[in-house]
Amino acid sequence: MNTDATNKDDTAATADINERHRLRMERKKALIDASIARAQKEIGIIIVNTGNGKGKSSSGFGMVMRAMGHEMKVGVVQFIKGAMSTGEEKFLRRFPDEVGFHAMGEGYTWETQDRERDIVKAGLAWEQAKVFLSDPEIGLVLLDELNIALKYQYLDVHAVIADLLARPPMQHVVITGRGAPPELIALADTVTEMTPVKHAYAAGITAQAGVEW
């Protein structure tokens, strides 16, 4: 075996791969730069995280912390959670001047089993949401599990949309929960559907602090 020839062939092949990669990235950069150049409008957007997979609220709270990092004031309303304290609530309550946090639910719908009471609680939560949505000092509002309240018709989706449209022009809103209604999806600027691939719970692993709540 001619080792020197083999090494030269390997070096030439590697150089060819590297050059083709460089050319692909060059073309990709040109496309991305052109796309960025076209996207110059700055305005408050509505983001919806829905679907059956894990991560909807986690993503929303990630954006809460991101906004705080940019010295934005944040409002959080939880429409379903509230019966038990979560890690995100315990953490964010350390920053009362930066975050208004209202956990106004009484737990999962299969636990409460009282539709009329859930409707009342959802209405109270929406009143608090409207306080945030009317305040131009609030840069980002997280409406956690609002989709569930809309799915079960605890709130009127058209009234909710009207209030969302009336918010300050630079205010961002993040809405989470399974079963986002089509009217809300049509309104939103960014929609992500979380799709489950695998979950520890299916293997009998219980929900754990720091991971699930």
Side-chain angles (χ1 to χ4, degrees):
M1 173 183 276
N2 189 331
T3 304
D4 290 340
T6 300
N7 289 339
K8 287 180 180 178
D9 288 343
D10 289 345
T11 300
T14 299
D16 182 60
I17 291 170
N18 289 342
E19 177 60 15
R20 282 188 281 122
H21 175 80
R22 186 190 68 78
L23 291 172
R24 282 200 306 273
M25 293 304 104
E26 185 179 280
R27 291 192 295 270
K28 185 172 183 178
K29 175 174 168 49
L31 291 171
I32 292 174
D33 287 348
S35 178
I36 291 172
R38 289 193 299 269
Q40 294 297 314
K41 182 167 64 174
E42 290 190 13
I43 193 168
I45 64 172
I46 295 175
I47 299 169
V48 172
N49 293 336
T50 192
N52 294 329
K54 175 178 169 54
K56 299 177 290 293
S57 295
S58 300
S59 173
F61 280 106
M63 282 182 272
V64 164
M65 287 183 282
R66 179 180 294 161
M68 292 170 64
H70 289 286
E71 300 183 351
M72 297 166 63
K73 289 189 175 182
V74 177
V76 177
V77 180
Q78 293 189 300
F79 284 80
I80 303 299
K81 300 178 182 107
M84 61 178 286
S85 182
T86 60
E88 53 263 32
E89 179 183 358
K90 291 178 179 179
F91 176 75
L92 291 173
R93 287 200 186 281
R94 301 174 189 174
F95 307 94
D97 295 333
E98 300 171 55
V99 183
F101 198 110
H102 296 265
M104 304 189 70
E106 291 188 327
Y108 299 110
T109 52
W110 61 85
E111 293 285 358
T112 61
Q113 301 177 15
D114 187 337
R115 185 172 185 274
E116 290 301 321
R117 186 168 178 82
D118 288 342
I119 289 172
V120 170
K121 296 295 291 185
L124 293 172
W126 189 250
E127 288 302 314
Q128 177 57 55
K130 289 198 292 185
V131 172
F132 289 144
L133 292 170
S134 64
D135 186 351
E137 295 298 314
I138 302 292
L140 183 141
V141 179
L142 173 60
L143 303 175
D144 189 36
E145 307 286 11
L146 172 60
N147 289 337
I148 294 176
L150 294 173
K151 175 183 176 181
Y152 288 112
Q153 299 182 345
Y154 296 164
L155 297 168
D156 179 72
V157 66
H158 300 292
V160 166
I161 286 174
D163 291 331
L164 290 171
L165 290 173
R167 75 190 192 282
M170 288 305 299
Q171 187 181 78
H172 307 298
V173 181
V174 184
I175 300 169
T176 73
R178 301 182 182 207
E183 297 92 339
L184 188 61
I185 290 175
L187 173 70
D189 301 284
T190 299
V191 179
T192 299
E193 183 170 4
M194 309 292 189
T195 301
V197 176
K198 194 175 184 181
H199 199 294
Y201 181 72
I205 301 172
T206 189
Q208 299 176 77
V211 178
E212 301 290 344
W213 49 272

